[in-house]
Amino acid sequence: MMQRTLKIGISARIFHPEEGAKGLRGRTLQYLEESIAQWVMSRNVLVFMIPTVNTNGLVHPSSIRLRDYAKHLDGLVLQGGADVSPQSYAQAATRPEWGGDRVRDMYELELLHEFIEAGKPVLGICRGCQLINVAFGGTLYQDIATDVPTSIKHVNDEYDRLHHAIQFPPGSSLATLFNTHGGEQNEWVVNSIHHQAVRDLGRDLTVEAISGSDNIVEAIRYRKAAFVMGLQWHPEFHRAGGPQLLDCTPILDGFLRAARETRF
């Protein structure tokens, strides 16, 4: 019997209304970035954007919960976007522009925990990696350049064309996946589009990759689940970035394999 096509949920980015704006800019919008959807769909799976839920809505009341999406979908991708709010890890923003999106944090933290509780795999991209760390009690560098003055540049106007090397610690699942143990290749190149990063590691998390020259955390994994991983880089941009960038298809395949094995 043929297995049904996998159904993968992607968390929504949120555009908050601009004060005094008219039309769409004056409305709350929820959307996903095209490249992340196309990257996941490249393995012939169905992609669904998961909207926020508002059970107290007066205009359009609903009894749907985020738990229902975790029940009916096979896996979750947390896409990139706005900063995680320092309030979400019990800190204050050191500068106003680093205040982040607390509304999105609350939505995605609930979504993350529902998928983990349902035994479904989760892959966090950029902000999603940081959110996984915060979900388990970790903290973030609010601005790498400020908090780690000796660091390399992790973001600039080149956007997805800014690259740097990463390393996979011996014994990590990514080291095994990419055969970097035993004296083989131990550095890979990824894009760098982030000014924040993991600072204090959350409980039951392990580091899966670090920046090759300044030890900034570039990937993490939750040890108590079959597949909950965060990548600080954007794998969905890698193919267009050129052959020098790490081919992240094996990571996507591992995520989807976990989705097939855990769906019920």
Side-chain angles (χ1 to χ4, degrees), residues 174-191:
L174 290 183
T176 301
L177 182 64
F178 290 101
N179 297 317
T180 62
H181 57 294
E184 299 177 19
Q185 182 176 350
N186 62 4
E187 279 200 340
W188 303 82
V189 178
V190 298
N191 58 36

PDB file of all heavy atoms in Angstrom, residues 174-191:
ATOM      1  N   LEU A 174      25.498  15.763  13.137  1.00  0.00           N
ATOM      2  CA  LEU A 174      25.865  16.352  11.848  1.00  0.00           C
ATOM      3  C   LEU A 174      27.249  15.894  11.407  1.00  0.00           C
ATOM      4  O   LEU A 174      27.499  15.713  10.208  1.00  0.00           O
ATOM      5  CB  LEU A 174      25.794  17.882  11.910  1.00  0.00           C
ATOM      6  CG  LEU A 174      24.385  18.474  12.018  1.00  0.00           C
ATOM      7  CD1 LEU A 174      24.439  19.994  11.989  1.00  0.00           C
ATOM      8  CD2 LEU A 174      23.465  17.959  10.912  1.00  0.00           C
ATOM      9  N   ALA A 175      28.159  15.683  12.369  1.00  0.00           N
ATOM     10  CA  ALA A 175      29.476  15.150  12.013  1.00  0.00           C
ATOM     11  C   ALA A 175      29.329  13.761  11.401  1.00  0.00           C
ATOM     12  O   ALA A 175      29.975  13.429  10.402  1.00  0.00           O
ATOM     13  CB  ALA A 175      30.372  15.090  13.251  1.00  0.00           C
ATOM     14  N   THR A 176      28.462  12.958  11.995  1.00  0.00           N
ATOM     15  CA  THR A 176      28.221  11.621  11.458  1.00  0.00           C
ATOM     16  C   THR A 176      27.551  11.692  10.095  1.00  0.00           C
ATOM     17  O   THR A 176      27.942  10.985   9.149  1.00  0.00           O
ATOM     18  CB  THR A 176      27.337  10.813  12.430  1.00  0.00           C
ATOM     19  OG1 THR A 176      27.993  10.714  13.694  1.00  0.00           O
ATOM     20  CG2 THR A 176      27.067   9.425  11.890  1.00  0.00           C
ATOM     21  N   LEU A 177      26.560  12.574   9.979  1.00  0.00           N
ATOM     22  CA  LEU A 177      25.808  12.696   8.732  1.00  0.00           C
ATOM     23  C   LEU A 177      26.702  13.101   7.570  1.00  0.00           C
ATOM     24  O   LEU A 177      26.579  12.583   6.456  1.00  0.00           O
ATOM     25  CB  LEU A 177      24.676  13.715   8.905  1.00  0.00           C
ATOM     26  CG  LEU A 177      23.750  13.942   7.705  1.00  0.00           C
ATOM     27  CD1 LEU A 177      22.973  12.671   7.378  1.00  0.00           C
ATOM     28  CD2 LEU A 177      22.792  15.097   7.992  1.00  0.00           C
ATOM     29  N   PHE A 178      27.619  14.031   7.827  1.00  0.00           N
ATOM     30  CA  PHE A 178      28.465  14.542   6.750  1.00  0.00           C
ATOM     31  C   PHE A 178      29.866  13.922   6.753  1.00  0.00           C
ATOM     32  O   PHE A 178      30.767  14.426   6.092  1.00  0.00           O
ATOM     33  CB  PHE A 178      28.547  16.065   6.835  1.00  0.00           C
ATOM     34  CG  PHE A 178      27.251  16.748   6.468  1.00  0.00           C
ATOM     35  CD1 PHE A 178      26.405  17.220   7.460  1.00  0.00           C
ATOM     36  CD2 PHE A 178      26.870  16.885   5.147  1.00  0.00           C
ATOM     37  CE1 PHE A 178      25.198  17.842   7.131  1.00  0.00           C
ATOM     38  CE2 PHE A 178      25.669  17.495   4.808  1.00  0.00           C
ATOM     39  CZ  PHE A 178      24.828  17.977   5.801  1.00  0.00           C
ATOM     40  N   ASN A 179      30.029  12.839   7.511  1.00  0.00           N
ATOM     41  CA  ASN A 179      31.287  12.076   7.493  1.00  0.00           C
ATOM     42  C   ASN A 179      32.513  12.936   7.769  1.00  0.00           C
ATOM     43  O   ASN A 179      33.528  12.836   7.081  1.00  0.00           O
ATOM     44  CB  ASN A 179      31.455  11.375   6.140  1.00  0.00           C
ATOM     45  CG  ASN A 179      30.363  10.360   5.879  1.00  0.00           C
ATOM     46  OD1 ASN A 179      29.990   9.592   6.760  1.00  0.00           O
ATOM     47  ND2 ASN A 179      29.846  10.360   4.659  1.00  0.00           N
ATOM     48  N   THR A 180      32.415  13.786   8.778  1.00  0.00           N
ATOM     49  CA  THR A 180      33.554  14.660   9.089  1.00  0.00           C
ATOM     50  C   THR A 180      34.473  14.047  10.133  1.00  0.00           C
ATOM     51  O   THR A 180      35.489  14.634  10.460  1.00  0.00           O
ATOM     52  CB  THR A 180      33.054  16.021   9.623  1.00  0.00           C
ATOM     53  OG1 THR A 180      32.326  15.802  10.841  1.00  0.00           O
ATOM     54  CG2 THR A 180      32.174  16.696   8.609  1.00  0.00           C
ATOM     55  N   HIS A 181      34.115  12.908  10.688  1.00  0.00           N
ATOM     56  CA  HIS A 181      34.965  12.292  11.689  1.00  0.00           C
ATOM     57  C   HIS A 181      36.092  11.504  11.004  1.00  0.00           C
ATOM     58  O   HIS A 181      36.081  11.285   9.815  1.00  0.00           O
ATOM     59  CB  HIS A 181      34.139  11.352  12.578  1.00  0.00           C
ATOM     60  CG  HIS A 181      33.412  10.277  11.805  1.00  0.00           C
ATOM     61  ND1 HIS A 181      32.395  10.554  10.921  1.00  0.00           N
ATOM     62  CD2 HIS A 181      33.571   8.927  11.786  1.00  0.00           C
ATOM     63  CE1 HIS A 181      31.963   9.429  10.388  1.00  0.00           C
ATOM     64  NE2 HIS A 181      32.666   8.424  10.897  1.00  0.00           N
ATOM     65  N   GLY A 182      37.052  11.081  11.800  1.00  0.00           N
ATOM     66  CA  GLY A 182      38.118  10.236  11.272  1.00  0.00           C
ATOM     67  C   GLY A 182      39.100  10.952  10.368  1.00  0.00           C
ATOM     68  O   GLY A 182      39.681  10.349   9.465  1.00  0.00           O
ATOM     69  N   GLY A 183      39.291  12.264  10.566  1.00  0.00           N
ATOM     70  CA  GLY A 183      40.298  12.971   9.789  1.00  0.00           C
ATOM     71  C   GLY A 183      39.826  13.437   8.420  1.00  0.00           C
ATOM     72  O   GLY A 183      40.619  13.924   7.635  1.00  0.00           O
ATOM     73  N   GLU A 184      38.546  13.298   8.116  1.00  0.00           N
ATOM     74  CA  GLU A 184      38.035  13.763   6.832  1.00  0.00           C
ATOM     75  C   GLU A 184      37.729  15.255   6.923  1.00  0.00           C
ATOM     76  O   GLU A 184      38.119  15.922   7.875  1.00  0.00           O
ATOM     77  CB  GLU A 184      36.800  12.943   6.445  1.00  0.00           C
ATOM     78  CG  GLU A 184      37.098  11.457   6.287  1.00  0.00           C
ATOM     79  CD  GLU A 184      35.853  10.642   5.963  1.00  0.00           C
ATOM     80  OE1 GLU A 184      34.856  11.238   5.512  1.00  0.00           O
ATOM     81  OE2 GLU A 184      35.879   9.426   6.170  1.00  0.00           O
ATOM     82  N   GLN A 185      37.025  15.790   5.952  1.00  0.00           N
ATOM     83  CA  GLN A 185      36.740  17.227   5.926  1.00  0.00           C
ATOM     84  C   GLN A 185      36.106  17.665   7.235  1.00  0.00           C
ATOM     85  O   GLN A 185      35.172  17.045   7.721  1.00  0.00           O
ATOM     86  CB  GLN A 185      35.792  17.552   4.756  1.00  0.00           C
ATOM     87  CG  GLN A 185      35.467  19.033   4.627  1.00  0.00           C
ATOM     88  CD  GLN A 185      34.615  19.331   3.402  1.00  0.00           C
ATOM     89  OE1 GLN A 185      34.421  18.467   2.576  1.00  0.00           O
ATOM     90  NE2 GLN A 185      34.104  20.532   3.304  1.00  0.00           N
ATOM     91  N   ASN A 186      36.607  18.761   7.815  1.00  0.00           N
ATOM     92  CA  ASN A 186      36.057  19.214   9.090  1.00  0.00           C
ATOM     93  C   ASN A 186      35.568  20.652   9.052  1.00  0.00           C
ATOM     94  O   ASN A 186      35.227  21.210  10.088  1.00  0.00           O
ATOM     95  CB  ASN A 186      37.082  19.043  10.215  1.00  0.00           C
ATOM     96  CG  ASN A 186      38.339  19.861   9.988  1.00  0.00           C
ATOM     97  OD1 ASN A 186      38.433  20.621   9.022  1.00  0.00           O
ATOM     98  ND2 ASN A 186      39.314  19.712  10.874  1.00  0.00           N
ATOM     99  N   GLU A 187      35.543  21.260   7.882  1.00  0.00           N
ATOM    100  CA  GLU A 187      34.970  22.604   7.751  1.00  0.00           C
ATOM    101  C   GLU A 187      34.055  22.648   6.532  1.00  0.00           C
ATOM    102  O   GLU A 187      34.358  22.061   5.494  1.00  0.00           O
ATOM    103  CB  GLU A 187      36.058  23.667   7.612  1.00  0.00           C
ATOM    104  CG  GLU A 187      36.672  24.076   8.928  1.00  0.00           C
ATOM    105  CD  GLU A 187      37.377  25.426   8.829  1.00  0.00           C
ATOM    106  OE1 GLU A 187      37.714  25.853   7.700  1.00  0.00           O
ATOM    107  OE2 GLU A 187      37.577  26.044   9.877  1.00  0.00           O
ATOM    108  N   TRP A 188      32.948  23.348   6.717  1.00  0.00           N
ATOM    109  CA  TRP A 188      31.975  23.520   5.647  1.00  0.00           C
ATOM    110  C   TRP A 188      31.570  24.984   5.613  1.00  0.00           C
ATOM    111  O   TRP A 188      31.729  25.705   6.609  1.00  0.00           O
ATOM    112  CB  TRP A 188      30.754  22.633   5.885  1.00  0.00           C
ATOM    113  CG  TRP A 188      31.096  21.177   6.023  1.00  0.00           C
ATOM    114  CD1 TRP A 188      31.538  20.544   7.152  1.00  0.00           C
ATOM    115  CD2 TRP A 188      31.058  20.186   5.002  1.00  0.00           C
ATOM    116  NE1 TRP A 188      31.765  19.216   6.892  1.00  0.00           N
ATOM    117  CE2 TRP A 188      31.480  18.963   5.583  1.00  0.00           C
ATOM    118  CE3 TRP A 188      30.695  20.196   3.652  1.00  0.00           C
ATOM    119  CZ2 TRP A 188      31.556  17.775   4.869  1.00  0.00           C
ATOM    120  CZ3 TRP A 188      30.767  19.011   2.942  1.00  0.00           C
ATOM    121  CH2 TRP A 188      31.189  17.822   3.540  1.00  0.00           C
ATOM    122  N   VAL A 189      31.047  25.445   4.497  1.00  0.00           N
ATOM    123  CA  VAL A 189      30.698  26.859   4.341  1.00  0.00           C
ATOM    124  C   VAL A 189      29.177  27.020   4.290  1.00  0.00           C
ATOM    125  O   VAL A 189      28.485  26.271   3.599  1.00  0.00           O
ATOM    126  CB  VAL A 189      31.333  27.451   3.055  1.00  0.00           C
ATOM    127  CG1 VAL A 189      30.925  28.918   2.877  1.00  0.00           C
ATOM    128  CG2 VAL A 189      32.851  27.332   3.126  1.00  0.00           C
ATOM    129  N   VAL A 190      28.685  27.996   5.059  1.00  0.00           N
ATOM    130  CA  VAL A 190      27.248  28.287   5.090  1.00  0.00           C
ATOM    131  C   VAL A 190      27.053  29.796   4.941  1.00  0.00           C
ATOM    132  O   VAL A 190      28.002  30.577   5.089  1.00  0.00           O
ATOM    133  CB  VAL A 190      26.598  27.805   6.405  1.00  0.00           C
ATOM    134  CG1 VAL A 190      26.710  26.293   6.553  1.00  0.00           C
ATOM    135  CG2 VAL A 190      27.216  28.511   7.618  1.00  0.00           C
ATOM    136  N   ASN A 191      25.819  30.195   4.665  1.00  0.00           N
ATOM    137  CA  ASN A 191      25.537  31.626   4.650  1.00  0.00           C
ATOM    138  C   ASN A 191      25.375  32.137   6.075  1.00  0.00           C
ATOM    139  O   ASN A 191      25.217  31.357   7.022  1.00  0.00           O
ATOM    140  CB  ASN A 191      24.299  31.948   3.792  1.00  0.00           C
ATOM    141  CG  ASN A 191      23.051  31.217   4.264  1.00  0.00           C
ATOM    142  OD1 ASN A 191      22.833  31.027   5.445  1.00  0.00           O
ATOM    143  ND2 ASN A 191      22.215  30.812   3.317  1.00  0.00           N
TER     144      ASN A 191
END
